[in-house]
Amino acid sequence: MDNRVFVFQLDNYEPAALYEAMGTLWRHLQLEEQFSNKKVLVKPNLLVGAPPQKAVCTHPEVVRSVLQNLSAKQVQVGDSPGFGSTGSVARTAGIYQVCSEENVELTDFCDPQTIQAPQTAKINSVPLSSAVVGSDEVINIAKLKTHGLTRYTGAVKNLFGCLPGKLKGQMHLRMEEIDRFSDYLLDVYLTVNPAVSIVDGIVAMEGSGPRTGDPRKAGVLLAGKDAVAVDTVACHIIGLDPATVPTLQAARRRGIGCSMLEQIDVIGASLDDVRISDFKTVSGSHSALKNLSPFLKRLLRNQLTAHPKVKVDSCTGCGICQHACPAGAVSMEEAAQIEEGACIRCYCCQEMCPEGAIELKYRGLGRLLR
C-alpha cells in the first residue's frame, strides 16, 4: 500500500486553489492513467441536508475540484444519507448544483448487492449499493469531524455510506460492541477498496459531531491511497491519539494500512504548521469490555459508555431520532423518549437530531474516568 499522505494547507474553498491542489494530487498518484476509460464513482459525505457552512457534509467545491480533474469514461456522484433522499440532501449541501454544472450524474444508493469480501476481511460478504458494485473505481471524499461513537469520522468511516438505506442501521444492531463495528467498517473499506481517499478538513467539525458540532477552521485538505494513513494524519492534526480511535485501533491490530505516523510519508505542509492544540474532541465508545463475562459487560457498559439523553426543552418532536434508531428504543410523546434497556448505544439518534436535542451523558465511573 502507498503510504504517502498529501497535506494541502488551504485557508478557504477558493476554487482555483482547490483545483491546483487536486491537480498536484492527480499527478503524484498518476490518477489520470488509473481512471482513464473507467466508470468512476465519487463518494462524498452526504449525512443529512445541511448547508456548506455547517461543515456537516463534504464541501461542494471540493467535489467540484475532483470532477474537474477527472477524465473518465463515466462519472457518478452518490451517497446514502442518514436521513432524506440523496437528491434533497445534495441540493441543500450544494453538491446537486455542482453535479449539474459539471454535467455529472447524481445517483441514489439503492438496490443492495451482496458481494464477496476480500480474504483480508473478517466477514464473507458485504451488501453494497449497486452503484458502488457497478463502478470500476471509487473516489472517497470524506469530511473531518468528531463522532459520538467512533470519536473521529473521516476516510474509513465515510465508506459505511456505501451500504444503502436501512442496512446501516441493521449493521449497528448486529454489531453493538464498538470493536465489532470497527472491524466491520474496515471490512467495508477493504471491500470497496477506494482508489484514493480525500478528507475535507478546510473547515472541520469539532465538539458534538457528526451533525450538531461546531464548524472549526482547520485549513487542511488531506489525501492518499491508504485511508488508514490519511485518518492517522488527520487525528494527529486535531490532537487526537490514533490509538484511541476504534477504527485505527482495529487497523493496527489487523495490520491494515499504516496507522503509525513515523511510517507515513507526509508530503506538503508540515504537521507542525497545521496542528491544532485546542480542537474539541469527544470520548466515543469504550472498547475494553469484549473479554468480560456477560454480567460484568452489562454492568461496566452501563457505567463506561455514554447514554443518549433528550434535552426536552430543545426537542421539537420531529421524529427523526425515532426513524434513525435501529433498535426501536425511541418513542414519541411531546418530546422523544429513549428506553434505556433497549438502547444499544449506537448514537444514531444523536447523530441525526437536527436540533442538537440529544446529548451523550456519562454516569458514575464513566464520569470519573473521562
Side-chain angles (χ1 to χ4, degrees):
M1 176 65 76
D2 190 331
N3 70 338
R4 291 176 293 174
V5 173
F6 294 80
V7 180
F8 301 99
Q9 192 169 10
L10 298 168
D11 286 335
N12 53 49
Y13 291 99
E14 200 275 317
L18 279 168
Y19 179 81
E20 182 180 356
M22 215 58 71
T24 299
L25 180 70
W26 250 239
R27 288 191 298 275
H28 279 274
L29 295 183
Q30 299 180 323
L31 294 176
E32 184 173 354
E33 295 87 343
Q34 184 170 348
F35 296 142
S36 177
N37 205 34
K38 299 281 185 68
K39 294 180 180 179
V40 178
L41 175 70
V42 176
K43 163 64 176 80
N45 182 322
L46 284 172
L47 176 64
V48 293
Q53 63 268 26
K54 294 290 188 180
V56 172
C57 302
T58 305
H59 197 282
E61 290 303 329
V62 175
V63 176
R64 186 193 303 276
S65 68
V66 168
L67 297 179
Q68 289 180 341
N69 276 278
L70 186 55
S71 178
K73 178 181 178 180
Q74 178 182 324
V75 180
Q76 292 181 314
V77 175
D79 193 11
S80 174
F83 187 81
S85 69
T86 301
S88 64
V89 170
R91 284 179 187 275
T92 306
I95 289 176
Y96 179 91
Q97 293 86 331
V98 166
C99 290
S100 297
E101 291 164 5
E102 301 299 330
N103 197 29
V104 170
E105 178 187 356
L106 178 71
T107 185
D108 194 5
F109 280 7
C110 54
D111 302 325
Q113 294 184 22
T114 300
I115 66 168
Q116 186 173 353
Q119 290 185 344
T120 47
K122 286 194 163 192
I123 56 176
N124 294 323
S125 60
V126 179
L128 298 175
S129 160
S130 58
V132 178
V133 176
S135 64
D136 298 315
E137 304 281 2
V138 174
I139 299 175
N140 178 25
I141 318 180
K143 188 72 174 178
L144 197 165
K145 299 186 287 184
T146 53
H147 196 284
L149 180 64
T150 59
R151 298 206 74 192
Y152 158 87
T153 177
V156 172
K157 177 71 169 60
N158 189 50
L159 294 169
F160 190 48
C162 291
L163 276 67
K166 293 186 177 180
L167 283 174
K168 294 188 289 295
Q170 292 174 18
M171 293 308 164
H172 273 297
L173 194 59
R174 284 175 53 186
M175 302 176 191
E176 293 184 36
E177 295 180 359
I178 186 61
D179 292 304
R180 289 189 65 202
F181 184 62
S182 298
D183 274 326
Y184 187 77
L185 292 177
L186 284 171
D187 288 343
V188 173
Y189 163 59
L190 291 171
T191 305
V192 175
N193 190 27
V196 62
S197 291
I198 300 163
V199 174
D200 169 16
I202 298 172
V203 178
M205 179 180 284
E206 64 179 358
S208 184
R211 179 174 185 175
T212 56
D214 300 314
R216 174 68 185 270
K217 181 179 177 181
V220 291
L221 186 74
L222 312 172
K225 286 183 170 289
D226 179 355
V228 172
V230 172
D231 283 344
T232 298
V233 172
C235 286
H236 278 281
I237 288 173
I238 63 173
L240 189 59
D241 182 358
T244 67
V245 175
T247 50
L248 298 179
Q249 286 177 356
R252 186 175 301 185
R253 169 171 44 83
R254 294 172 58 181
I256 297 171
C258 189
S259 58
M260 304 291 286
L261 184 63
E262 58 271 21
Q263 297 173 4
I264 298 172
D265 184 10
V266 178
I267 298 171
S270 166
L271 293 189
D272 289 337
D273 292 337
V274 295
R275 278 196 180 94
I276 302 172
S277 61
D278 59 349
F279 196 93
K280 297 174 185 175
T281 59
V282 291
S283 298
S285 188
H286 205 278
S287 63
L289 307 177
K290 60 183 177 181
N291 295 320
L292 298 177
S293 69
F295 171 75
L296 283 175
K297 187 180 292 185
R298 284 194 300 270
L299 177 64
L300 289 177
R301 185 169 183 262
N302 195 45
Q303 290 289 319
L304 295 177
T305 60
H307 298 249
K309 294 295 182 185
V310 178
K311 296 187 286 186
V312 175
D313 291 343
S314 301
C315 179
T316 63
C318 67
I320 290 175
C321 58
Q322 185 180 32
H323 177 272
C325 178
V330 181
S331 59
M332 297 302 302
E333 296 179 10
E334 289 186 7
Q337 305 286 322
I338 300 174
E339 184 184 344
E340 190 166 298
C343 176
I344 63 171
R345 314 288 203 279
C346 66
Y347 309 139
C348 289
C349 57
Q350 180 261 348
E351 182 174 346
M352 288 293 106
C353 178
E355 306 299 330
I358 299 178
E359 55 187 347
L360 303 182
K361 289 286 191 179
Y362 288 85
R363 57 181 61 163
L365 186 59
R367 284 202 303 267
L368 293 174
L369 294 178
R370 288 189 69 195

